[in-house]
Amino acid sequence: MTLRHGDRGQDVRTLQLNLNRAGAQLTVTGNYDDATEAAVRAFQQRAGLVVDGDAGPKTLSALGGGQTAHMLRQGALRDAAERLGVPLAAVQAVNAVESSGAGFVPNGRPAILFERHVMYARLKAAPRPGQTPAQRLAELENLVRLYPNVVNPTPGGYVGGNAEHQRLATARQIDDTIGIESASWGLFQIMGHHWSRLGYPSAQAFAQAMGEDEGQQLEAFVRFIETDPALRKALKSRRWAEFARLYNGPAYARNLYDVKLERAFERFSLAEAAA
């Protein structure tokens, strides 16, 4: 659940009460007004969280006394913006729109989405020594029969959350490296097969980094942008449609990613100017 400016209701009242317990002096109205947004920003700043004025799961957890050490920090976003040579608002916009919202699932493992069709394709392209194409295909067909949700020529089989790690565990038993390569990882859902391009010594090192904290997941995202000149150029020039197409694929327009990015950039730019 994410509460933001303009929302009304009991959840907003509870938020205002919790903010007051944390030192704010709000009138409890149930209306997420300017004062409530300012109080959220102030709390996020004190807690070291990303300062966006929205009361999402991380902010609500921190207000409730939850651990924040593994969460993305505002300073990390600022450092990322400096590395990429873009305004802070640009990185904030991408984080708001393109991230999965949380880099970890409730059991503490990194958020992943396992892609069984990627597993199939990468296994097919990597026959074992001495194996003929026909033998490899026969082996793949057997794996599809045994593990249809892990090895399959068609996308699907998604179960979400913690359960994705069960699919990954099976994949890693089949082939440890290809299993890691066949999942997207962390806040920004970076595919594991990019590990070499991003400068990690191995797929295993990439997976380990993604399990450390959201700051490491942001680091992978920054490397992803740095190593794609077209994507970096689109971000620097704020050509949001081009950025969304390169990052999300041709279906970006259907999901209005470019519109969401532009609006988020404008919102964060205004907030930064007013700070």
Side-chain angles (χ1 to χ4, degrees), residues 126-221:
R128 290 186 281 110
Q131 196 174 41
T132 67
Q135 289 171 331
R136 189 55 164 174
L137 186 58
E139 184 176 13
L140 274 173
E141 289 174 351
N142 187 50
L143 288 171
V144 171
R145 284 194 296 270
L146 292 172
Y147 311 107
N149 283 340
V150 176
V151 183
N152 205 298
T154 60
Y158 307 115
V159 288
N162 299 335
E164 289 293 323
H165 279 275
Q166 297 174 7
R167 301 171 72 205
L168 176 63
T170 300
R172 294 186 68 169
Q173 288 178 350
I174 296 169
D175 188 296
D176 189 51
T177 294
I178 291 179
I180 293 169
E181 292 176 338
S182 301
S184 59
W185 294 77
L187 271 175
F188 299 93
Q189 293 296 284
I190 303 296
M191 286 298 301
H193 60 71
H194 293 301
W195 63 265
S196 180
R197 164 188 152 190
L198 303 184
Y200 295 92
S202 65
Q204 290 74 16
F206 169 80
Q208 182 176 354
M210 296 305 95
E212 290 183 13
D213 55 43
E214 291 180 350
Q216 287 294 329
Q217 295 172 5
L218 176 64
E219 170 67 22
F221 168 77

Side-chain angles (χ1 to χ4, degrees), residues 3 23 39 43 129 235 258:
L3 301 171
F43 173 78
L235 182 61
D258 56 330

Side-chain angles (χ1 to χ4, degrees), residues 96-129:
V97 174
E98 299 287 6
S99 83
S100 59
F104 291 83
V105 291
N107 67 3
R109 292 176 174 176
I112 65 166
L113 190 65
F114 187 80
E115 302 288 0
R116 66 186 189 182
H117 64 291
V118 176
M119 180 77 174
Y120 180 92
R122 296 188 77 80
L123 284 171
K124 185 177 181 181
R128 290 186 281 110

Side-chain angles (χ1 to χ4, degrees), residues 98 231 241-255 257:
E98 299 287 6
L231 194 60
E242 179 67 4
F243 181 87
R245 183 186 68 79
L246 292 169
Y247 195 83
N248 302 109
Y252 78 91
R254 185 168 64 244
N255 296 307
Y257 284 122

